[in-house]
Amino acid sequence: MNLLFYIAAVVSVLSTLIAITRVNVTHALLYFILSLISLATIFYTIGAHFAAVLEVIVYAGAIMVMYVFVAMMLNLGHATIDQERAWLKPTIWIGPSLMAAPLLAALVFVLLKDTSAAEMGHTVTAAKQVGIALFGPYVLAVELASMLLLAGLVGAYHLARK
Amino acid sequence: MFEFVVGSPLNIVLILGAVLVAAALLIWVERRVLGFLNERLGPNRVGPWGIAQSLADVGKLITKEDWVPPFADKLPFIVAPIIVPVVMLLSFAVIPIAPGVGIMDLNIGLLWVLAMAGLGSYSAMLGGLASNNKFSLLGGLRAAGQMISYEVFMGISILGIVILSDSFNLREIVEAQHKHGWFVFPQFIGFIVFVIAGLAETKRWPFDLAEGESEIISGFNTEYSGMKFGLFFVGEYIGMLLLSALIPVLFFGGWYAPFGLELPNAIISGIFWMCAKTGCWIFFFILVRAALVRPRYDQLMNYGWLVMLPLSLLNLLVTGAVVLAQGN
């Protein structure tokens, strides 16, 4: 399980990086889907089976399908690829990267120093426990999320109205 | 005597082999049955009754030039046909065939099938998008809209079963049906919605608008030839096999014999009844293909969102209320 975790982690970081640096939107989406699936694998290896499969159903299977659907609807051609390429010049990304580097270093340092982490992959969280947690202590968050979704639904209806 | 344990190498090899052989045979069976229903013979030249037709087809597809159109987007074009057969075979891993016969005994088996179905929709979409052809793009768009819509109803329609059996595990669902009777009776609406949505997910007749050969040539696979087309084709048949195996597991008691017609050995009886029930559903889907006409795309969407969604939500609501009222 440990080895599987590290493989999935490496794939997830690499595919996310590649997804950001692609100029072709279809390729970027493909790598993004890969990154989501590897995230699901990570969830699975640490025992959160329910979260893992929801990650695939909701993110990789539904939301990313919508992204690809929009990419198809817009049917972007070479003009956008050139535009993306122009935006991805080193002068644009080198400044933010240099500033973000110390933050990454700090994060890695903290993670390496922390030895209190529990051994992973020993407790499996069942779907029932997730449900009890969601509709027990976190019921307010669930209700708020549902209200946000309702607002989105009403907004979509308003935009689509003729 | 062999010892059957879920996930043993023997199980994996046997099930994988059986599924692939069944999918290949299915192509021949469907063409032959459709032929008889249309008052023609169908493929009857290769081997006795034409049974080796699929082998000849594979030979032809493999020896064909493996061509990628110069205007296509290479990476997604090559990835797209691989996705659907792989994902469908992965789904088969959680299907319980008999006690001890199966590849994975996953506690989230039902969700696993839904997740794989969700990933399977990329095949048609990416194929249509990467072909860089107007007809392919239209086919891909249709596939995307259809699959993302019908996935919703498919997911909601089987939640009633989860409530009744108190589990996402397909084996426990089968055991629950052994105790409480087939779920097709208390979940009749869920069953109808599931069959229709499942048929739409496999993009089979009458839901093959993504191909729609009378309107958009061959839809998302217009630019595909050789074994790449073959993978789309085999993926569709494995999907049909998966759906035909999933319906008995969820609604018709899985491997348990109906009316007490058990065979002496539990495993042989399980495999026999599971195959028999799956076969019935395969035959049903072939008959549906011969009997129905393809709807218009707006009819498909209206039917989905205005009929199937309210029905499946109502089913879920009533099931939940009844179970709650009975106090489990």
Side-chain angles (χ1 to χ4, degrees):
Chain A
M1 271 312 195
N2 261 326
L3 181 68
L4 200 61
F5 172 83
Y6 285 114
I7 293 172
V10 168
V11 170
S12 136
V13 170
L14 282 183
S15 58
T16 312
L17 269 180
I18 298 173
I20 296 169
T21 53
R22 286 307 89 178
V23 287
N24 185 323
V25 65
T26 319
H27 296 182
L29 286 174
L30 270 178
Y31 282 109
F32 194 13
I33 294 162
L34 186 63
S35 137
L36 289 171
I37 294 174
S38 49
L39 263 187
T41 316
I42 290 177
F43 281 143
Y44 195 89
T45 54
I46 60 176
H49 296 182
F50 189 63
V53 82
L54 279 196
E55 173 92 15
V56 176
I57 292 177
V58 176
Y59 287 97
I63 293 179
M64 293 314 290
V65 170
M66 288 314 285
Y67 277 39
V68 178
F69 187 71
V70 171
M72 286 165 108
M73 287 287 266
L74 300 176
N75 200 9
L76 306 166
H78 290 285
T80 35
I81 293 180
D82 293 339
Q83 191 185 30
E84 281 288 327
R85 196 165 280 137
W87 284 344
L88 213 65
K89 270 193 289 222
T91 47
I92 291 176
W93 58 260
I94 223 158
S97 310
L98 279 180
M99 282 188 279
L103 293 179
L104 181 68
L107 185 68
V108 170
F109 179 69
V110 170
L111 285 179
L112 286 180
K113 231 182 92 183
D114 183 19
T115 50
S116 67
E119 190 76 7
M120 62 163 203
H122 285 295
T123 48
V124 173
T125 315
K128 201 169 213 161
Q129 287 164 274
V130 178
I132 290 170
L134 276 181
F135 288 94
Y138 299 107
V139 70
L140 191 65
V142 172
E143 290 300 324
L144 285 176
S146 69
M147 271 160 77
L148 189 65
L149 286 177
L150 182 67
L153 204 63
V154 172
Y157 176 74
H158 177 74
L159 288 177
R161 201 179 43 159
K162 290 213 175 70
Chain B
M1 195 57 206
F2 295 116
E3 195 67 34
F4 280 99
V5 183
V6 172
S8 66
L10 177 77
N11 256 343
I12 295 175
V13 170
L14 281 184
I15 292 173
L16 189 65
V19 167
L20 290 177
V21 169
L25 268 182
L26 204 54
I27 298 174
W28 169 74
V29 168
E30 170 155 58
R31 290 175 63 186
R32 197 82 172 132
V33 172
L34 276 183
F36 283 125
L37 294 172
N38 296 347
E39 288 189 60
R40 54 193 173 81
L41 286 173
N44 65 348
R45 296 288 145 179
V46 194
W49 314 291
I51 199 164
Q53 181 65 41
S54 295
L55 278 181
D57 288 344
V58 168
K60 179 202 160 197
L61 286 174
I62 285 178
T63 49
K64 232 174 154 176
E65 186 188 352
D66 188 26
W67 187 67
V68 178
F71 46 81
D73 193 356
K74 263 222 176 78
L75 170 76
F77 190 85
I78 294 171
V79 169
I82 303 171
I83 297 172
V84 68
V86 167
V87 157
M88 291 298 166
L89 284 176
L90 279 177
S91 284
F92 247 103
V94 293
I95 299 286
I97 293 170
V101 182
I103 296 178
M104 267 199 296
D105 188 10
L106 208 55
N107 268 332
I108 42 167
L110 198 51
L111 293 172
W112 171 265
V113 173
L114 285 181
M116 290 301 126
L119 291 182
S121 58
Y122 283 116
S123 218
M125 291 171 68
L126 289 176
L129 185 58
S131 295
N132 211 355
N133 165 324
K134 288 188 182 64
F135 297 107
S136 298
L137 186 70
L138 279 175
L141 267 177
R142 285 181 176 193
Q146 173 183 331
M147 294 184 81
I148 203 169
S149 305
Y150 279 76
E151 226 175 84
V152 176
F153 326 134
M154 193 162 96
I156 299 174
S157 69
I158 47 183
L159 282 183
I161 291 178
V162 176
I163 293 177
L164 287 181
S165 64
D166 210 15
S167 172
F168 286 114
N169 187 324
L170 290 172
R171 280 182 189 276
E172 282 172 22
I173 289 174
V174 172
E175 295 291 349
Q177 290 181 75
H178 189 50
K179 238 179 276 163
H180 306 302
W182 288 1
F183 283 155
V184 64
F185 302 116
Q187 286 294 313
F188 191 70
I189 297 174
F191 161 68
I192 298 284
V193 173
F194 180 77
V195 170
I196 295 174
L199 206 52
E201 278 293 299
T202 54
K203 293 195 295 304
R204 275 185 54 82
W205 210 280
F207 295 106
D208 65 336
L209 288 100
E211 286 189 36
E213 65 271 355
S214 52
E215 308 144 26
I216 48 174
I217 308 182
S218 188
F220 64 91
N221 59 30
T222 303
E223 297 289 350
Y224 283 89
S225 65
M227 210 50 214
K228 286 204 192 71
F229 169 76
L231 284 177
F232 275 128
F233 204 64
V234 165
E236 187 189 313
Y237 279 91
I238 301 177
M240 177 184 171
L241 207 58
L242 176 74
L243 181 64
S244 306
L246 205 54
I247 292 172
V249 168
L250 293 178
F251 296 98
F252 291 93
W255 64 76
Y256 283 107
F259 318 117
L261 293 171
E262 306 254 355
L263 300 180
N265 183 318
I267 289 176
I268 292 175
S269 165
I271 293 175
F272 171 78
W273 279 109
M274 189 64 200
C275 291
K277 289 172 182 177
T278 307
C280 287
W281 279 101
I282 289 171
F283 202 71
F284 173 78
F285 289 131
I286 296 176
L287 292 185
V288 162
R289 174 167 179 176
L292 293 182
V293 292
R294 188 190 295 142
R296 253 183 8 237
Y297 195 69
D298 59 323
Q299 291 171 333
L300 178 85
M301 281 293 151
N302 278 343
Y303 180 68
W305 289 104
L306 299 180
V307 179
M308 305 267 281
L309 181 66
L311 263 185
S312 51
L313 282 176
L314 203 67
N315 177 48
L316 181 61
L317 192 72
V318 171
T319 310
V322 168
V323 169
L324 205 61
Q326 286 176 342
N328 287 327

